[in-house]
Amino acid sequence: MITEEITNQSAAPKADPFNWETSGKGWNNYSAEERTRMEKMYDQTLNAVVEHDIVEGIVVSVSPKDVLINIGYKSDGLIPLTEFRHMPDIKAGDKVEVYVEKQEDKNGQLLLSHKKARALKSWDRINAALEGDEVITGYVKCRTKGGLIVDVFGIEAFLPGSQIDVKPIRDYDQFVGKNMEFKVVKINNEFKNVVVSHKILIEEELELQKAEIMKKLEKGQVLEGTVKNITSYGVFMDLGGVDGLLHITDISWGRISHPEEVLKLDQKINVVILDFDEEKKRIALGLKQLTPHPWTQLDGNLNVGDKVKGKVVVLADYGAFVEIAPGVEGLLHVSEMSWSQHLRSPHDFLKVGEEIECVVLTLDREERKMSLGLKQLKPDPWVNVITKYPAGTKLTATVKNFTNFGVFVELEEGIDGLVHISDLSWSKKIKHPSEFTKVGDKLDVVVLEVDAENRRLSLGHKQLEENPWDVFETIFGVDSLHEGTVLKVGEKGATVALPYGVEGFCPNKHLVKEDGKSLKADDKADFKVIEFNKDQRKIVVSHARIHEEARGIARVAEKETKEKDREDNAKAVKKVKENVEKTTLGDIAALSNLRTELEAAEKKAQDSDKKD
């Protein structure tokens, strides 16, 4: 255009002669009008450049440090070669996208950046991929905690380990350095974080495969599967695109505590489809169903009463399950473990894994049920119990258990007896048997009563000694006095220790001392027996009664003394009166004095009567 303008000028009318004074002074060669027109024409030859825009440029040259880029602006821009690491073969003439940071810096230089242009374009691309649910390709750069770092459009994205594949991945390093397809699942624009998933692509493909496989499934169908995951309750099997659950109870006819006892990860086995839900895509599998049920293989000659050997596989509160063959179990109830009527825990007799011999008590092949017995291997000890332990037999037993009403003791294996709490001691009042003895102790007993039909033995301990209450009756008679010690004070009264190891009861009102205060624990004092009951082994005593009766006796004695004084005074007065009547007139003066004395004595006696 400039050439065209110069041509037009040569065709114009002849100009003024050349002015040497203005030559070489630039714009001074043109008039103001011409300069404005020339500037306008020059601006039209340049691209319109807006700061912070991304534009396409052409590589002019490449130096060891920089790349010169022409974007059609009045000046070219320099970009560090390090921003083109992803383009090791960059050369002049290549087209690249650049970001316009500034049209002119302080030096008038155009500032461009390829790195920022690439980053901004990448974020737009990634956001578009998320919105459009697009499948993109990325390069796995390295491994990091919990997953992998993936380069997607020049941006580092995170691929969690759980999003690599539908099956657990144990070795992440096998994916480093590979190109893989992903879908963007999450973007945090504030922190510039991107999360991608490869698993979602596999799941989408598997869903289509599952739909096809589920249509072809049938109950009873046998398929080959791979052990994908093992849990405490079962095994998840990969059936070639669809998963199924092999429950622990369907792995083996015999009992197993964990699937790992039978199966291993990645093991291939045949399984049978027991049930499936096409909507929920759930498949129930079985392994043991591929073999005959053990009950069908049970010895046909096995009958009730036969002895069998087995292993204890389960212990419960009510008994034990004994496996006599893989998948064939019998129940050994706790009541069939011992002839003893006092039931104990199965843990007292057996342990899991123990090999034992039992007797078949019941056998139902159709219902596949069997009950076993252990005590039947020994003779019933209760058969001859009457002749072996008649009433009055004295022996030593072992304390086995307590109840609120007595002690259970074992005479021999299978024979228990009860010592009632009232038959433990003649003198001590026992609230609970644990106060008297301990489990495991030896206790001397005597047989009181035998009930062979109901398998019950009534025993006694105190009966080994004579009843001391026959003697106590003569010692602790009513009104007898004894020294005692207050053991403890309760709401209604106190327990008092009396001689010969006997305890008595003193009601609260009978604890009062002579000074008005009450006796306390550990106080010693005299007590009077106010009640004795041999049948109930009960003695009631009183301390207050002693000083109360002493005061009463003193009052009676004092009253009797005063009564005697009154009688003596009355007799004296009577005698004086009789003497007065016999006295002559000459004795009047003397009698007058005597009368005064008698009146005084009589008045004194009357005053004494008033006081009484």
Side-chain angles (χ1 to χ4, degrees), residues 501-545:
V502 179
E503 293 180 356
F505 177 74
C506 182
N508 283 328
K509 67 178 182 178
H510 290 283
L511 290 172
V512 181
K513 296 186 290 185
E514 194 169 0
D515 60 3
K517 297 180 180 179
S518 294
L519 293 170
K520 298 179 180 178
D522 298 328
D523 285 351
K524 288 186 177 181
D526 290 332
F527 294 89
K528 174 176 277 194
V529 178
I530 59 177
E531 182 182 346
F532 181 89
N533 190 319
K534 183 176 72 173
D535 295 334
Q536 297 181 3
R537 291 179 289 165
K538 179 180 179 183
I539 300 176
V540 181
V541 296
S542 172
H543 173 71
R545 183 70 60 84

Side-chain angles (χ1 to χ4, degrees), residues 87-366:
M87 299 175 65
D89 299 326
I90 189 170
K91 60 185 182 298
D94 288 348
K95 293 182 179 180
V96 294
E97 289 183 331
V98 293
Y99 174 78
V100 180
E101 293 192 55
K102 204 168 186 181
Q103 291 181 352
E104 290 184 2
D105 60 7
K106 61 183 180 179
N107 298 319
Q109 181 70 39
L110 173 66
L111 294 182
L112 304 176
S113 172
H114 174 65
K115 183 178 179 180
K116 289 185 179 180
R118 188 165 177 258
L120 289 172
K121 282 286 186 179
S122 296
W123 278 105
D124 292 341
R125 184 77 178 83
I126 284 177
N127 279 285
L130 177 63
E131 293 176 3
D133 196 29
E134 183 182 346
V135 178
I136 59 178
T137 302
Y139 174 76
V140 181
K141 294 178 64 176
C142 61
R143 177 178 177 174
T144 189
K145 184 179 179 180
L148 299 168
I149 298 297
V150 180
D151 186 326
V152 180
F153 306 135
I155 293 176
E156 289 187 348
F158 178 58
L159 173 62
S162 61
Q163 295 297 317
I164 298 176
D165 204 337
V166 291
K167 60 184 179 181
I169 300 298
R170 302 179 185 88
D171 181 17
Y172 292 172
D173 292 331
Q174 61 180 308
F175 299 98
V176 176
K178 295 182 179 180
N179 289 318
M180 299 175 63
E181 290 186 332
F182 308 98
K183 272 192 176 183
V184 180
V185 294
K186 185 178 180 181
I187 295 177
N188 187 325
N189 287 300
E190 182 179 356
F191 297 101
K192 301 299 181 182
N193 291 333
V194 180
V195 180
V196 296
S197 171
H198 178 69
K199 174 183 175 181
I200 194 171
L201 300 176
I202 301 175
E203 287 177 336
E204 290 174 355
E205 185 178 349
L206 287 178
E207 285 300 317
L208 297 175
Q209 293 180 7
K210 285 181 183 179
E212 292 297 322
I213 294 173
M214 293 296 289
K215 292 178 182 178
K216 300 176 182 178
L217 290 182
E218 296 179 0
K219 291 183 181 180
Q221 185 178 2
V222 178
L223 299 173
E224 184 183 62
T226 303
V227 177
K228 181 178 179 181
N229 191 22
I230 299 177
T231 68
S232 59
Y233 56 86
V235 174
F236 287 95
M237 304 288 300
D238 183 358
L239 303 176
V242 63
D243 290 349
L245 174 62
L246 174 60
H247 197 270
I248 186 172
T249 56
D250 292 311
I251 293 176
S252 171
W253 290 113
R255 289 181 184 262
I256 57 174
S257 57
H258 198 282
E260 289 178 343
E261 298 175 14
V262 180
L263 300 172
K264 297 180 181 179
L265 283 173
D266 300 325
Q267 182 179 351
K268 294 184 180 295
I269 57 172
N270 288 330
V271 289
V272 61
I273 297 176
L274 303 179
D275 198 2
F276 63 92
D277 187 330
E278 190 170 346
E279 291 184 2
K280 297 181 179 180
K281 295 182 175 57
R282 292 179 180 174
I283 305 174
L285 305 174
L287 177 62
K288 69 181 184 182
Q289 289 79 3
L290 295 176
T291 59
H293 197 289
W295 272 89
T296 61
Q297 308 295 316
L298 189 63
D299 187 358
N301 296 322
L302 184 66
N303 296 306
V304 172
D306 290 348
K307 296 179 181 179
V308 292
K309 291 183 179 181
K311 181 175 70 174
V312 178
V313 291
V314 175
L315 281 178
D317 293 337
Y318 53 87
F321 287 94
V322 180
E323 186 180 61
I324 64 170
V328 179
E329 296 176 2
L331 173 61
L332 174 58
H333 196 269
V334 65
S335 62
E336 302 299 337
M337 294 181 183
S338 172
W339 289 109
S340 172
Q341 288 296 98
H342 176 60
L343 295 183
R344 287 175 282 182
S345 170
H347 294 82
D348 295 337
F349 299 95
L350 303 170
K351 296 180 180 178
V352 174
E354 183 179 355
E355 298 283 346
I356 60 172
E357 186 176 40
C358 301
V359 176
V360 178
L361 302 182
T362 64
L363 180 62
D364 189 336
R365 295 178 183 271
E366 292 184 2

Side-chain angles (χ1 to χ4, degrees), residues 330-462:
L331 173 61
L332 174 58
H333 196 269
V334 65
S335 62
E336 302 299 337
M337 294 181 183
S338 172
W339 289 109
S340 172
Q341 288 296 98
H342 176 60
L343 295 183
R344 287 175 282 182
S345 170
H347 294 82
D348 295 337
F349 299 95
L350 303 170
K351 296 180 180 178
V352 174
E354 183 179 355
E355 298 283 346
I356 60 172
E357 186 176 40
C358 301
V359 176
V360 178
L361 302 182
T362 64
L363 180 62
D364 189 336
R365 295 178 183 271
E366 292 184 2
E367 294 294 328
R368 295 173 178 173
K369 292 181 180 180
M370 179 189 306
S371 63
L372 305 172
L374 187 62
K375 68 184 182 181
Q376 288 77 8
L377 295 173
K378 300 179 181 179
D380 186 355
W382 285 89
V383 173
N384 300 317
V385 70
I386 295 178
T387 57
K388 192 172 183 179
Y389 301 109
T393 303
K394 297 178 182 179
L395 60 156
T396 301
T398 303
V399 178
K400 287 295 181 181
N401 195 19
F402 295 137
T403 66
N404 291 329
F405 54 83
V407 181
F408 282 100
V409 297
E410 185 179 63
L411 305 185
E412 63 174 80
E413 179 64 34
I415 297 184
D416 294 342
L418 173 66
V419 182
H420 196 271
I421 192 170
S422 62
D423 291 318
L424 289 173
S425 175
W426 288 112
S427 56
K428 292 183 179 179
K429 290 185 178 180
I430 302 170
K431 294 182 178 180
H432 193 273
S434 59
E435 300 174 7
F436 189 83
T437 185
K438 295 184 296 184
V439 173
D441 284 356
K442 298 293 182 181
L443 185 67
D444 293 330
V445 295
V446 60
V447 179
L448 303 180
E449 185 181 352
V450 180
D451 185 352
E453 185 177 351
N454 293 312
R455 296 175 180 262
R456 292 177 182 174
L457 273 177
S458 178
L459 307 173
H461 174 72
K462 71 180 185 181

Side-chain angles (χ1 to χ4, degrees), residues 36-48:
T36 301
R37 184 167 57 84
M38 292 277 293
E39 286 176 354
K40 186 175 181 182
M41 292 174 62
Y42 177 71
D43 288 340
Q44 289 177 354
T45 66
L46 302 174
N47 290 330

Side-chain angles (χ1 to χ4, degrees), residues 470-503:
D470 293 336
V471 180
F472 294 159
E473 189 175 17
T474 62
I475 297 174
F476 298 99
V478 175
D479 293 334
S480 61
L481 290 175
H482 306 277
E483 185 182 48
T485 302
V486 178
L487 298 178
K488 58 182 178 181
V489 180
E491 293 182 0
K492 296 183 178 180
T495 302
V496 180
L498 299 172
Y500 308 105
V502 179
E503 293 180 356

